[in-house]
Amino acid sequence: MKSLHRLTGILPGWLVCFFALVFIWNSSGAIGSTVDMDSLKTRLSQVYPDTNKVWLLRDIAYYYQLVDLDSAMHYSDRAFVLAVGLDFPYGQTWSLYQKALASEMKHGLDSAVPIYRQAMQIAADQQDHLSLAKLFNALGVGYYYAGNYHHAVVYYHRAYELADSLSYRQGVNQSLNNMGVIYRIQRRYEQALEMYERSLAVKRAEQDSIGMVNTLYNMGLAYSYLGEHEHSLARFREAERMSLKMSGADLLAMANIQVGLGVALYNLDMFEAAERHIIQGLERITNPGSHEWIAAMNYLGAIDTKHGKTDEGLEKIRQAHAAALASGRLELLRQTLREMAISASLAGDHALAHESWLQHSMLIDSLNRENILWAQQEMQARFELSAKTNTIRDQQQMLQRENRKTRLSLQLGLVLIFSLIAGGVVLHRIGKQRKSLLQTIAVSEVALTRDRQEKLQRFSQLLPDPLSKREMDVLQALEKGLTNRQMAEKLFVSEHTIKSHLKNIFIKTGVKSRTELLSKLSLGENHSKG
């Protein structure tokens, strides 16, 4: 099902199956999924070699994507050659895209990247910015599957910026959601939630029910990893309600949501309700070893152990642990080790409990080192951005000095002119002076704003743990007297995120309230003046 993931962005497995039933590529006129391969090939021998035949060849390549990658590449090549002969750039672009998907699945991403770039070049030459935005997202997904998260985020950002400039809302949503998935994998859960919240706001405005369910599901996972289980439960329940209202609700969708609900309830010590939801979800999961299956088996085993069925419980946790090891997902492995240690202790198997806690501790250390590395990389990026900002500021100051010299020269020239002319020219001079004064006032206001920002920056640097860029944004908004809601609207985040940033600011500055923080800022400013 990987090719379907690629056509719809990075989605949970249940949405892949849903899209397999309803997918119609807007630009290609792809036919419905009920048409079999024989009828497609019959039509191929009957149609005239025009642009419709290009799309028919690409459709055949698309359906071969799931069963025969060599055939998928063959028909993609035929579509591309025909599109070249017809001087049909749009068909060339999307025939190459289909070939890149098949090549990636068969030979790996390295073989597909040149094909993607060829498709991008054709789209760029034709100024087909919409196709370019889609291709940026597609290549980002390719890097995601290859484990190269840095390049994936780079292309997601490019896709987002281009889609946003085109008001292409679906592309904006996909980019935000995809970035959120990577941040979640990197355990940067607050950043992931910020992406999801922005995506959810757009999807609500667009009334995109499928997109909202997908984002709510991802938010539920992120809140669960943060330990905010009540928020996690609320997001899963909202996803469940929306899924039930959708016509033809997907069984796998409900399965995964049921497991998510069960895990959230388990973490709230509501074991009977948790067991009921997890069993309902597990009965519908057809892919043993998937993220949801591992979570379901892990927590069912933990519940069995709490109910005294230690042998059954440990066996389920062992199965979940083996699957987590095979998946390479460290977050899942951490969860299974924790539950295995607790269950083994309850079962009286102290050797297994000790070994599990030891592995859990080592894994936690590894995750912490990884988080430190990401923090260092982010700090380096912030430093580079600061250096660029300082360079721009210096250039602006030089330009302002040149402007002042120019204005002074103009004023001296005006004095000479005014000494030679009379009458109405005097009125003209008054108007010029008034305009110059307004410009000077505007420059002063900008200088005051910049001066305040620099003072806040110095205040942050004196702290044991300096404020982040986003925390500085919140601090400036707080100093202006904005409420939490006004801050959230200005910074395009939720009030929950604002509260989280304020909490971090209070901790770093050693205060307990806004009033105390503002007082501390004022004292710091007076001290620097003194």
Side-chain angles (χ1 to χ4, degrees), residues 276-474:
R276 185 171 62 254
H277 282 288
I278 292 173
I279 290 174
Q280 290 175 4
L282 190 61
E283 289 172 348
R284 298 170 180 171
I285 294 175
T286 59
N287 179 21
S290 67
H291 174 280
E292 290 76 14
W293 184 89
I294 294 171
M297 291 296 290
N298 187 48
Y299 286 101
L300 272 183
I303 292 171
D304 281 347
T305 304
K306 291 182 184 298
H307 288 165
K309 297 182 287 185
T310 54
D311 291 339
E312 296 94 325
L314 273 173
E315 177 57 28
K316 288 173 182 166
I317 294 173
R318 283 192 177 97
Q319 292 180 40
H321 179 256
L325 274 173
S327 74
R329 295 287 294 275
L330 299 184
E331 199 64 46
L332 287 173
L333 190 59
R334 181 187 65 80
Q335 293 171 3
T336 58
L337 285 170
R338 179 180 182 276
E339 296 304 330
M340 185 178 292
I342 294 173
S343 297
S345 180
L346 291 174
D349 190 341
H350 300 299
L352 177 60
H354 174 76
E355 179 62 25
S356 299
W357 279 126
L358 181 61
Q359 292 183 29
H360 180 270
S361 177
M362 293 171 63
L363 181 57
I364 290 293
D365 290 341
S366 174
L367 293 176
N368 288 338
R369 285 195 298 272
E370 200 170 314
N371 285 331
I372 291 172
L373 177 61
W374 286 329
Q376 289 173 342
Q377 292 173 343
E378 189 171 351
M379 186 180 300
Q380 177 64 25
R382 215 181 284 140
F383 173 78
E384 292 172 357
L385 178 61
S386 176
K388 291 178 181 178
T389 302
N390 290 337
T391 300
I392 294 172
R393 184 189 60 197
D394 293 341
Q395 292 173 344
Q396 289 175 337
Q397 290 175 347
M398 290 177 62
L399 181 60
Q400 288 173 356
R401 285 195 293 269
E402 291 298 322
N403 287 340
R404 282 196 292 270
K405 291 178 180 179
T406 302
R407 284 197 298 271
L408 180 60
S409 298
L410 289 174
Q411 289 171 352
L412 291 174
L414 286 173
V415 170
L416 180 60
I417 293 172
F418 293 158
S419 66
L420 299 175
I421 59 178
V425 179
V426 175
L427 295 176
H428 180 69
R429 178 187 176 189
I430 293 172
K432 284 286 186 179
Q433 289 176 334
R434 181 175 179 273
K435 180 179 179 181
S436 177
L437 180 60
L438 289 175
Q439 290 175 337
T440 303
I441 292 172
V443 170
S444 299
E445 290 177 348
V446 170
L448 285 173
T449 300
R450 183 180 298 106
D451 181 63
R452 189 59 192 156
Q453 291 174 342
E454 290 175 353
K455 288 177 179 176
L456 289 177
Q457 189 65 41
R458 287 197 299 272
F459 173 79
S460 171
Q461 291 171 350
L462 291 174
L463 297 173
D465 184 6
L467 302 181
S468 67
K469 182 179 182 302
R470 180 59 77 180
E471 289 166 353
M472 287 292 293
D473 294 339
V474 172

Side-chain angles (χ1 to χ4, degrees), residues 19 28 48 56 77 90 95 107 117 164 205 214 244 263 269 271 296 326 335 403 435 444 457 463 469-470 473-474 484:
F19 274 100
S28 68
Y48 186 78
L56 183 57
D77 277 331
Y90 196 57
S95 298
H107 303 295
R117 294 197 185 282
D164 190 48
N214 173 38
L244 291 173
V263 172
D269 295 334
F271 301 125
Q335 293 171 3
N403 287 340
K435 180 179 179 181
S444 299
Q457 189 65 41
L463 297 173
K469 182 179 182 302
R470 180 59 77 180
D473 294 339
V474 172
N484 286 0

Side-chain angles (χ1 to χ4, degrees), residues 127-196:
Q127 296 187 341
D128 181 5
H129 300 303
L130 183 61
S131 291
L132 202 55
K134 293 177 180 178
L135 289 167
F136 284 154
N137 238 331
L139 186 52
V141 174
Y143 279 115
Y144 163 79
Y145 279 115
N148 189 332
Y149 299 144
H150 172 75
H151 279 73
V153 170
V154 167
Y155 277 98
Y156 291 153
H157 273 293
R158 294 179 70 180
Y160 171 80
E161 291 172 355
L162 187 53
D164 190 48
S165 69
L166 298 171
S167 297
Y168 172 41
R169 309 315 298 166
Q170 183 181 359
V172 168
N173 289 336
Q174 284 184 354
S175 303
L176 289 171
N177 192 60
N178 290 349
M179 284 189 282
V181 168
I182 288 182
Y183 287 140
R184 193 190 75 208
I185 290 173
Q186 293 180 329
R187 294 174 293 284
R188 300 160 75 175
Y189 300 120
E190 291 189 354
Q191 289 170 286
L193 282 168
E194 186 173 336
M195 294 295 105
Y196 292 146

Side-chain angles (χ1 to χ4, degrees), residues 58 324 347 353 526:
R58 207 213 70 152
N526 291 335

Side-chain angles (χ1 to χ4, degrees), residues 8 10 15 18 32 46 65 83 89 104 289 334 461 475 505-506:
T8 56
I10 301 172
L15 277 180
F18 179 82
Q46 297 171 347
Q65 192 85 20
E104 180 185 340
R334 181 187 65 80
Q461 291 171 350
L475 183 60
I505 292 171
F506 289 169

